[in-house]
Amino acid sequence: MAGITALVAGGLLLWQNWDTVKAKADEVWFAIGEIVAMAVENVKSYFVGIGEWFGGMWESVKTAISTKIDEIKQAFWRWLAGMPAPPL
């Protein structure tokens, strides 16, 4: 019986102070939204940084591979130019 009385009393207090409760709930909800938005922005900026880092790394890898391929082609053409001409 005491539990039911306490539940009814709590409901009555909630009803009587609903404007205060609602205002506080709105403040809390707004603060949670701001925190989540900041967290999302931090995560996004982190991944943008990683993307830029990998992008820079990929450009370095492409340049290194391209340079090596050019060196191999030049060495091949030098070797080919040093070959004697076939007899006619």
Side-chain angles (χ1 to χ4, degrees), residues 5-38:
T5 303
L7 189 61
V8 169
L12 182 60
L13 281 173
L14 183 63
W15 179 69
Q16 288 175 340
N17 296 301
W18 180 248
D19 292 335
T20 304
V21 171
K22 184 178 180 310
K24 210 38 115 167
D26 286 344
E27 286 178 31
V28 169
W29 187 251
F30 182 75
I32 289 171
E34 286 183 329
I35 291 169
V36 169
M38 286 188 326

